Amino acid sequence: MINTIAYKLFYQLGQWVLWMRQVFSKPEKINVYWRETIRQMNDLGVGSLPVVFIISIFFGAVTTVQFYYQISGTFVPNYYIGYIVRDMTIIELAPTFTCMLLAGKVGSNIAAEIGGMRQKEIIDAMDVMGVNTAAFLVLPRLIAAVFMIPLLVILAAAISILGGYFASVWGNLFTVSEFIQGLHSFFIPYNVFIMLVKAFTFAFLLTTISAYQGYFVKSGSIELGKASTNAVVLSDVAILVADYIIALVMT
Amino acid sequence: MIKIKDIEKSFGEKVVLKGITSTFHRGKTNLIIGRSGAGKTVLLKILVGLFQPNKGEVWYDDQSFFQLSKKEARQLRMKIGMLFQGGALFDSWNVEENIRFPLDMYTEMSYTEKRERVKEVLKKVELTGVENKYPSELSGGMQKRVGIARAIVLNPQYLFCDEPNSGLDPKTAIVIDQLILDITQQYDITTVINTHDMNSVMEIGDNILLLKDGCVAWQGNKDEILTSEDPTIIEFIFASPFLKRLRKKALGL
């Protein structure tokens, strides 16, 4: 049993490494790849804006309300809430939760789209034409993701802090100046760097894992569903493991 | 001309092809027929390099396909066009983008020249004015024609069709057959078709290869089928009692 699981794991890992070599081989025609990258940036980045906006504003709002509940009536000053919301958002909530959310939205979409192409013989058609399908299908998505997802994460952080602001002001929990004082307190720019490293790493992981699941899908709608689910689950697990490693290494 | 020599292919324990040797002629429509599971699609996929055979050779004129360098194989692939069963068109691209894709990848043509070429091949497949439509907006027959247009846009020397008539009504199937025949003769290319459609066999079968249990069971042309006494081909082509009676009547038996 353990042997079989270990064999499967190493087989998949080996296949992934070999496939990544194919993905990073020289593109046949730069302008065709570039056109596809722009298209993916729009689908993946601009297309994810509404959901990132909604989730982030509530992250910030809920975090603020919860912390106010925790520290009200204690000796901890209220402005600490702004400080905690800011740092939690930058270090953890914005990169990790936004990318886990995008694993669900973008990752499952990538797996289903590429898997559908495999099942409808579109990948075979491109193989017959001599196109490096791994590179053509994955590289534009990967470039789009590692460029757009950090931008989405920055935006998510800003919106989340704004959500905290609205919750505190509109909820009459404490004053605006207390919240803003908190935002200005103990700021460490290095934390923003950690956030970007996380966003970049998670973008790479969720795109390649999802594309891999779709690229090697077997025939049938059940397999396509499995590939889509695996893309989300494995991307989320990989994001959490990477999150832990980055936290250990960088903090 | 394409020659295959002693092709063997198995998947795990299951042997699919057992030493297939044949020649597919230039300017002719070469048909691979056989029952489901006979190995037709596997043979076609070996011919275009999607599968690697366990044994055997595939020769494109004087080039051995599996011994070519990466660069040579890429150059050869530019001379290959293939029509897939479902059309294999990109859903998110319109007709023009689908047909233009091989031109984008392999030529240095200007955008205007590419558009002209797309219009030209669409006219060839009698489908003008659909450049901006998406595959989902087209009927099955139209999608096949777009697939053919994409397959011939680079002026291929070899054309492969995987079940070009599947899912089409008999009239549209005849149109597709006629189109493939016209293209084959007009451009003097080697066409290999994998089909189940007996109408196609009797209409455009210049060279027919019948596969049975992974072996070549019969080879000939459409005229030879009518007069053949070989029970394998007779049973396959004239499978229904109605067709059997019709054949006997035609031959005065």
Side-chain angles (χ1 to χ4, degrees):
Chain A
M1 177 74 177
I2 293 168
N3 279 350
T4 317
I5 292 169
Y7 172 78
K8 274 186 183 173
L9 190 74
F10 281 108
Y11 177 83
Q12 294 285 331
L13 201 66
Q15 195 177 37
W16 186 79
V17 171
L18 290 174
W19 179 72
M20 286 308 292
R21 271 185 62 190
Q22 246 181 294
V23 169
F24 285 109
S25 51
K26 195 183 163 204
E28 292 96 342
K29 268 281 180 79
I30 296 285
N31 57 346
V32 181
Y33 276 64
W34 176 243
R35 204 173 56 208
E36 195 54 21
T37 305
I38 298 293
R39 193 198 299 260
Q40 293 300 332
M41 278 180 174
N42 183 51
D43 290 356
L44 197 146
V46 182
S48 303
L49 274 175
V51 68
V52 167
F53 182 88
I54 292 168
I55 300 286
S56 304
I57 205 148
F58 283 102
F59 266 155
V62 172
T63 313
T64 304
V65 173
Q66 300 274 14
F67 271 106
Y68 178 74
Y69 169 71
Q70 295 278 321
I71 68 168
S72 63
T74 66
F75 292 111
V76 181
N78 278 345
Y79 78 88
Y80 258 68
I81 296 172
Y83 153 61
I84 292 167
V85 168
R86 182 201 68 207
D87 270 11
M88 263 191 71
T89 298
I90 289 175
I91 297 174
E92 191 59 26
L93 288 179
T96 310
F97 281 87
T98 305
C99 288
M100 285 178 78
L101 170 81
L102 291 174
K105 187 194 174 287
V106 176
S108 64
N109 186 271
I110 289 174
E113 198 179 345
I114 296 179
M117 285 182 192
R118 167 68 71 198
Q119 293 189 339
K120 287 172 81 179
E121 296 184 306
I122 295 169
I123 294 180
D124 283 350
M126 286 195 287
D127 278 332
V128 171
M129 289 178 210
V131 176
N132 177 353
T133 49
F136 181 73
L137 294 173
V138 183
L139 207 52
R141 285 174 172 81
L142 186 59
I143 293 168
V146 296
F147 186 76
M148 295 305 284
I149 289 178
L151 289 180
L152 286 172
V153 167
I154 292 170
L155 197 73
I159 293 168
S160 181
I161 291 169
L162 205 67
Y165 172 84
F166 288 137
S168 57
V169 175
W170 291 345
N172 289 323
L173 303 179
F174 44 88
T175 64
V176 177
S177 57
E178 280 176 319
F179 188 77
I180 290 175
Q181 188 192 350
L183 291 183
H184 286 134
S185 305
F186 321 114
F187 179 65
I188 305 166
Y190 178 69
N191 287 347
V192 178
F193 178 65
I194 295 176
M195 175 181 81
L196 291 174
V197 169
K198 283 186 177 183
F200 184 84
T201 310
F202 300 162
F204 177 84
L205 286 172
L206 83 88
T207 313
T208 52
I209 289 171
S210 304
Y212 175 81
Q213 291 297 325
Y215 193 83
F216 291 102
V217 75
K218 292 181 184 123
S219 60
S221 54
I222 293 174
E223 289 298 325
L224 193 58
K226 267 190 202 170
S228 197
T229 309
N230 286 346
V232 179
V233 174
L234 293 174
S235 295
D236 282 346
V237 171
I239 285 170
L240 291 172
V241 172
D243 189 25
Y244 177 67
I245 293 168
I246 292 169
L248 278 183
V249 173
M250 296 191 75
T251 57
Chain B
M1 185 166 69
I2 301 170
K3 277 184 182 173
I4 50 173
K5 247 166 107 180
D6 207 18
I7 295 285
E8 286 182 15
K9 179 70 183 171
S10 52
F11 295 97
E13 300 276 293
K14 188 173 166 55
V15 182
V16 181
L17 298 174
K18 302 168 190 168
I20 307 281
T21 299
S22 188
T23 302
F24 301 113
H25 304 280
R26 191 172 165 180
K28 308 262 182 209
T29 44
N30 303 273
L31 271 60
I32 303 170
I33 60 171
R35 295 179 67 174
S36 300
K40 303 186 298 294
T41 302
V42 173
L43 181 58
L44 200 73
K45 287 192 171 178
I46 286 173
L47 284 173
V48 296
L50 288 174
F51 287 155
Q52 186 90 22
N54 298 101
K55 194 184 154 204
E57 293 170 30
V58 175
W59 287 81
Y60 279 76
D61 293 315
D62 55 351
Q63 290 181 296
S64 177
F65 191 44
F66 296 109
Q67 283 168 7
L68 297 176
S69 66
K70 226 176 172 181
K71 195 180 168 191
E72 288 168 333
R74 191 173 143 86
Q75 279 168 347
L76 177 63
R77 284 192 178 284
M78 285 170 65
K79 299 177 190 168
I80 295 175
M82 184 160 180
L83 169 66
F84 282 83
Q85 207 171 334
L89 304 174
F90 275 93
D91 297 327
S92 53
W93 294 357
N94 65 23
V95 168
E96 187 191 314
E97 288 169 323
N98 266 290
I99 299 173
R100 212 179 58 210
F101 181 63
L103 297 173
D104 287 339
M105 286 305 252
Y106 293 115
T107 70
E108 298 301 329
M109 289 163 88
S110 70
Y111 180 67
T112 320
E113 286 170 330
K114 284 180 210 165
R115 287 200 76 175
E116 282 305 310
R117 178 65 185 146
V118 170
K119 278 188 180 163
E120 200 181 309
V121 288
L122 276 175
K123 196 176 169 193
K124 179 74 204 156
V125 298
E126 294 170 15
L127 212 62
T128 45
V130 298
E131 289 90 336
N132 296 322
K133 287 195 182 297
Y134 283 84
S136 58
E137 297 174 291
L138 304 175
S139 69
M142 287 163 102
Q143 286 187 25
K144 291 265 164 85
R145 278 192 268 176
V146 174
I148 295 174
R150 184 179 64 185
I152 63 169
V153 74
L154 283 174
N155 283 323
Q157 289 177 21
Y158 313 96
L159 179 65
F160 297 89
C161 306
D162 186 16
E163 312 228 3
N165 296 335
S166 70
L168 300 181
D169 65 90
K171 267 198 163 178
T172 312
I174 290 167
V175 172
I176 297 286
D177 281 345
Q178 200 54 50
L179 190 60
I180 293 170
L181 185 65
D182 284 351
I183 290 164
T184 306
Q185 290 172 347
Q186 192 183 337
Y187 299 120
D188 193 28
I189 59 178
T190 307
T191 300
V192 182
I193 305 166
N194 164 13
T195 187
H196 270 124
D197 187 0
M198 290 311 119
N199 283 332
S200 300
V201 175
M202 300 313 286
E203 286 292 328
I204 60 167
D206 292 334
N207 176 32
I208 301 159
L209 188 74
L210 172 67
L211 294 187
K212 192 180 177 189
D213 301 326
C215 300
V216 178
W218 186 85
Q219 188 155 13
N221 61 42
K222 61 185 178 187
D223 299 323
E224 287 167 345
I225 288 177
L226 282 175
T227 52
S228 175
E229 292 298 323
D230 189 321
T232 321
I233 187 76
I234 301 295
E235 273 170 31
F236 183 75
I237 301 284
F238 306 98
S240 73
F242 169 72
L243 285 176
K244 275 183 187 138
R245 282 200 301 276
L246 211 64
R247 175 177 174 269
K248 279 183 182 170
K249 207 172 175 184
L251 295 175
L253 298 172

